[in-house]
Amino acid sequence: MHEMAIAEQILRTALPLVREHGAEKILEIRISIGVLSGVVPSYLEHALTELSRGTAAQGARLVASYVPPQIRCDACGAHSEGKRGLYVCPVCGSEKIRITGGSGYKIDDLLVE
Ligand SMILES: [Zn+2]
């Protein structure tokens, strides 16, 4: 399952930071999710709850924000935000575009205590 693997990676990144900062637990995990990543936040939250049991991240709140797809136009070179399922350059109307972002996820911030 996609979300399990991501939750695991989040914890692998987040848990060492807690120790590094001399904190005891994570209160909140803020992440950005690309809309093209296919990650379902409620599944991810469930996965995190399962995996964080007994760790410093137990009970942490997951705050997810969405990142729209980023596209680059090969015809005019414009960088813009794409809409899901509609990939044309909003500047020149060309369909020769490349997707340059919005398919991954990243941790933005951790609230620790
Ligand atoms: Zn263009």
Side-chain angles (χ1 to χ4, degrees):
M1 216 182 109
H2 200 44
E3 280 80 5
M4 269 293 175
I6 293 174
E8 227 177 273
Q9 276 170 27
I10 290 174
L11 288 177
R12 217 177 291 146
T13 309
L15 291 175
L17 292 175
V18 178
R19 261 169 269 137
E20 236 170 71
H21 288 88
E24 272 168 25
K25 62 180 196 161
I26 301 174
L27 300 177
E28 201 172 281
I29 301 170
R30 290 184 199 150
I31 59 166
S32 297
I33 300 173
V35 296
L36 302 176
S37 67
V39 176
V40 182
S42 60
Y43 289 180
L44 185 58
E45 202 165 358
H46 181 75
L48 268 175
T49 306
E50 290 290 311
L51 293 175
S52 65
R53 237 171 244 150
T55 73
Q58 186 170 344
R61 216 153 58 90
L62 181 72
V63 181
S65 57
Y66 279 100
V67 181
Q70 306 296 313
I71 59 173
R72 199 185 83 89
C73 177
D74 272 349
C76 74
H79 291 265
S80 7
E81 262 180 24
K83 287 196 184 75
R84 196 172 190 168
L86 177 75
Y87 297 118
V88 292
C89 174
V91 178
C92 73
S94 170
E95 284 174 18
K96 284 186 181 166
I97 54 105
R98 252 179 258 217
I99 296 168
T100 57
S103 58
Y105 72 93
K106 70 178 178 68
I107 300 178
D108 290 326
D109 214 359
L110 286 178
L111 210 66
V112 295
E113 184 178 75

